[in-house]
Amino acid sequence: MSKILSASILSVPEVIIVNDNINNLTVVVEIEFHDLDLTLKMEYYLHVFVYDIHGEVDAPLILPNWDESKLVPISLDRKDEYLGVSSQKVLAINKRETIQLPMQLKLGKLTKLSSHFTKKLEVFATMTPAIGQASKWSEPFESRIEL
């Protein structure tokens, strides 16, 4: 089983202009693999989700499904604002790996959830193994009701 040691963002703008163009960020994730991962040369998919956190962080519910895993926030306070996701396949070859994922986010976009004074960006990183659990919601279905 892999272990995520840290997740961080490089180059966060000190000032964000409202309605600015897309900002280039890099998310850096440090991973440590178990000896069995290395022996089996396990494959994982690394998913990083970037949020603007409002108050207490929303508890994440992870629906792992290899290369399209989803994160469903369970709001405890004000709902956090989802800003983007980036994913990459990772092979367990070295004991420790540092993965850099470039991302482009429109940080100056304001919504009804946005703070008009600051952005508190946080990254949630998760790894889905090639051999493990898979999950997926169906598309919504609608039916008419007749009385």
Side-chain angles (χ1 to χ4, degrees):
M1 174 65 108
S2 64
K3 180 179 184 178
I4 296 174
L5 300 173
S6 68
S8 59
I9 302 174
L10 296 180
S11 307
V12 176
E14 190 173 322
V15 176
I16 298 166
I17 308 299
V18 173
N19 294 324
D20 69 347
N21 292 326
I22 292 175
N23 297 101
N24 293 315
L25 306 174
T26 301
V27 174
V28 179
V29 180
E30 292 187 49
I31 303 163
E32 183 177 330
F33 292 105
H34 189 279
D35 291 339
L36 287 174
D37 284 324
L38 297 170
T39 301
L40 298 172
K41 295 184 180 166
M42 281 290 293
E43 286 188 30
Y44 287 88
Y45 235 94
L46 170 66
H47 304 276
V48 295
F49 301 86
V50 179
Y51 283 87
D52 183 4
I53 305 297
H54 302 290
E56 294 295 319
V57 68
D58 293 346
L61 170 63
I62 304 163
L63 301 175
N65 200 25
W66 185 230
D67 64 344
E68 61 177 26
S69 293
K70 302 281 187 232
L71 187 141
V72 179
I74 300 170
S75 184
L76 302 175
D77 188 9
R78 288 179 48 194
K79 190 170 175 63
D80 296 333
E81 188 176 359
Y82 169 78
L83 298 176
V85 64
S86 185
S87 301
Q88 179 177 314
K89 189 189 296 188
V90 178
L91 293 173
I93 297 172
N94 301 311
K95 183 71 173 171
R96 285 191 175 206
E97 288 285 341
T98 300
I99 308 294
Q100 293 192 6
L101 292 167
M103 296 183 76
Q104 293 184 329
L105 302 174
K106 189 158 185 165
L107 299 177
K109 180 180 177 185
L110 297 180
T111 68
K112 62 183 177 185
L113 299 176
S114 297
S115 162
H116 296 295
F117 303 105
T118 62
K119 291 267 187 204
K120 181 182 173 190
L121 302 180
E122 289 196 29
V123 175
F124 180 81
T126 184
M127 302 246 308
T128 304
I131 301 170
Q133 180 181 352
S135 308
K136 187 165 186 151
W137 282 98
S138 71
E139 293 296 319
F141 298 93
E142 288 187 29
S143 293
R144 284 189 346 261
I145 296 175
E146 291 186 10
L147 299 176

